[in-house]
């Protein structure tokens, strides 16, 4: 996908922090070297096209009281991947759901991030899903330590 | 954080308008004045509850390629393996988890060859006993906003 120079400047600016004031996009547009109206028009187009996945606030979950989460991996038979993936995605407590390749070292096929107020709540949600979807072999991997978490920055100078 | 804060925080996570006065629209939904919404949101940011206001881009739509990798690392080596892995800008998230495969990280790069080269490098040089590459075959759900009003 090809972008004009000013569009790349806008992509970069969108990944920075917008000021909290009446017209935040005016600052964004100034950084990208275009008018506010133009920046908004391009951004709306990108939102429509799915290039902008979401616009808005990124919060620190722990501070906001969304405390526990676990990565729950499921050994789902091949013919049930689609159905189970969709059923798990329908749950509020599931924030992410992906399928990934199975291997002889790692039999799991579906990956979910399950959130709750406590780790016990996460365990309980996983147990309920396991029962309802009849997937017996699953594992909950709680994180012991965050070793790295950085915002994904695309189209930055260094990787062009 | 009171009820209005929780509502504002939920609204600005869910769908922040791409319009000239986004806070005016948010404020109207929350039943407060624009100036009050701005003051409250700014306060939550200063407190650290809000990490950033901006866009989350879809790497795939922009041609990027990503994967999740799991490494089996001897307990005494987690720190040195982590130092090795974290040097790559392309590695955005890395967690130590309670399992035989105990180090889980995401790689995102401009093309498949770049991702493969990083995985290969880590396999050979990081000190991990084993690294499995787990690129997504299906993406069923990605939700990063939370309803805080419940």
């Amino acid at each position: 996908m090809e972008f004009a120079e000013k569009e790349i400047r806008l992509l970069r600016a969108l990944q920075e922090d917008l000021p909290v004031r009446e017209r935040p996009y005016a600052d964004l547009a100034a950084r990208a070297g275009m008018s506010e109206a133009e920046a908004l028009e391009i951004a709306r187009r990108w939102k429509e096209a799915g290039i902008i996945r979401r616009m808005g606030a990124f919060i620190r979950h722990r501070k906001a009281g969304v405390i526990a989460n676990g990565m729950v991996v499921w050994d789902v038979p091949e013919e049930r991947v689609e159905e189970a993936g969709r059923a798990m995605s329908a749950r509020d407590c599931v924030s992410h759901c992906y399928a990934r390749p199975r291997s002889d070292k790692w039999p799991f096929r579906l990956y979910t991030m399950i959130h709750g107020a406590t780790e016990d709540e996460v365990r309980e949600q996983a147990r309920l899903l396991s029962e309802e979807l009849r997937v017996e072999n699953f594992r909950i991997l709680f994180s012991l330590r965050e070793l790295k978490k950085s915002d994904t920055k695309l189209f930055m100078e260094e990787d062009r | 954080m009171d009820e209005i804060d929780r509502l504002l925080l939920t609204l600005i996570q869910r769908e922040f308008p791409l319009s000239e006065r986004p806070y005016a629209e948010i404020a109207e939904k929350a039943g407060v004045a624009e100036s009050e919404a701005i003051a409250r949101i700014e306060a939550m940011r200063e407190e650290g509850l809000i990490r950033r206001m901006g866009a989350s881009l879809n790497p795939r739509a922009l041609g990027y390629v990503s994967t999740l990798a799991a490494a089996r690392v001897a307990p005494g080596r987690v720190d040195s393996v982590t130092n090795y892995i974290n040097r790559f800008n392309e590695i955005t998230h890395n967690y130590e988890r309670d399992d035989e495969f105990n180090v889980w990280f995401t790689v995102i790069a401009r093309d498949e060859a770049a991702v493969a080269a990083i995985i290969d490098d880590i396999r050979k040089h990081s000190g991990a006993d084993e690294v499995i590459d787990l690129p997504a075959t299906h993406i069923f759900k990605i939700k990063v906003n939370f309803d805080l009003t419940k």
Side-chain angles (χ1 to χ4, degrees):
Chain A
M1 190 172 301
E2 288 303 316
F3 290 99
E5 273 305 311
K6 69 176 177 184
E7 289 179 316
I8 290 174
R9 288 198 301 270
L10 183 63
L11 278 172
R12 287 181 187 149
L14 279 164
Q15 298 174 87
E16 304 292 326
D17 200 10
L18 285 178
V20 181
R21 63 173 75 129
E22 281 181 14
R23 294 174 70 162
Y25 298 114
D27 293 74
L28 176 84
R31 268 184 257 170
M34 58 178 79
S35 71
E36 183 188 20
E38 189 179 9
L40 279 168
E41 190 207 307
I42 298 173
R44 284 191 206 112
R45 182 154 47 79
W46 285 345
K47 183 80 187 17
E48 193 76 13
I51 288 173
I52 294 178
R53 187 184 278 154
R54 184 171 71 91
M55 192 70 218
F58 295 81
I59 66 170
R60 290 199 174 84
H61 296 137
R62 279 165 206 275
K63 280 212 164 200
V66 183
I67 310 291
N69 67 77
M71 183 174 78
V72 187
V73 295
W74 308 84
D75 178 4
V76 176
E78 206 51 39
E79 65 278 9
R80 290 195 56 208
V81 169
E82 296 267 354
E83 167 232 321
R86 278 195 298 272
M88 289 184 188
S89 299
R91 301 305 168 92
D92 272 347
C93 64
V94 174
S95 64
H96 295 68
C97 182
Y98 292 80
R100 300 183 181 280
R102 196 192 315 271
S103 71
D104 47 351
K105 290 162 199 147
W106 192 252
F108 305 101
R109 185 76 167 88
L110 274 183
Y111 290 66
T112 51
M113 287 302 305
I114 297 189
H115 298 256
T118 62
E119 290 197 349
D120 274 343
E121 205 177 294
V122 173
R123 288 188 189 93
E124 179 62 12
Q125 294 287 359
R127 192 188 62 76
L128 284 171
L129 270 175
S130 156
E131 268 182 23
E132 284 170 36
L133 298 174
R134 304 177 322 279
V135 181
E136 276 163 30
N137 187 21
F138 71 95
R139 212 182 271 184
I140 307 178
L141 289 83
F142 287 109
S143 78
L144 300 174
R145 253 198 305 170
E146 184 180 283
L147 302 172
K148 185 176 189 181
K149 185 175 182 183
S150 58
D151 284 319
T152 306
K153 291 274 175 82
L154 308 178
F155 287 92
M156 292 295 135
E157 313 278 359
E158 64 269 19
D159 61 20
R160 284 181 63 78
Chain B
M1 205 167 46
D2 65 11
E3 249 170 57
I4 294 172
D5 282 342
R6 287 182 170 275
L7 178 55
L8 286 171
L9 201 49
T10 302
L11 289 171
I12 61 176
Q13 281 186 86
R14 190 175 292 156
E15 201 47 274
F16 190 71
L18 279 163
S19 62
E20 279 187 11
R21 302 278 288 270
Y23 291 103
E25 291 181 38
I26 295 287
E28 201 184 336
K29 284 187 188 157
V32 297
E34 181 186 23
S35 57
E36 185 182 346
I38 288 175
R40 282 172 175 269
I41 291 165
E42 183 58 32
M44 288 191 278
R45 180 151 78 172
E46 273 163 26
E47 244 177 88
L49 227 73
I50 296 170
R51 192 158 64 75
R52 180 170 78 90
M53 292 293 301
S56 154
L57 302 180
N58 178 351
R60 279 181 187 239
L62 290 162
Y64 279 74
V65 175
S66 65
T67 194
L68 173 72
R72 191 159 52 80
V73 179
R77 283 214 204 124
V78 171
D79 287 338
S80 67
V81 169
T82 297
N83 285 339
Y84 193 89
I85 290 174
N86 285 0
R87 286 179 315 143
F88 292 94
N89 281 332
E90 293 86 349
I91 289 170
T92 55
H93 294 68
N94 187 4
Y95 294 91
E96 183 180 5
R97 296 191 181 276
D98 184 12
D99 192 88
E100 167 200 2
F101 281 91
N102 50 348
V103 174
W104 291 75
F105 56 93
T106 54
V107 187
I108 176 157
R110 295 302 286 264
D111 51 50
E112 267 173 44
V115 171
I118 290 168
I119 298 277
D120 192 49
D121 184 320
I122 289 170
R123 221 172 239 150
K124 285 183 182 141
H125 306 297
S126 69
D129 292 328
E130 194 167 354
V131 178
I132 45 179
D133 184 11
L134 300 162
T137 60
H138 305 61
I139 298 175
F140 293 107
K141 185 178 190 180
I142 302 175
K143 184 189 89 167
V144 286
N145 51 329
F146 289 88
D147 188 344
L148 302 170
T149 58
K150 284 178 185 163

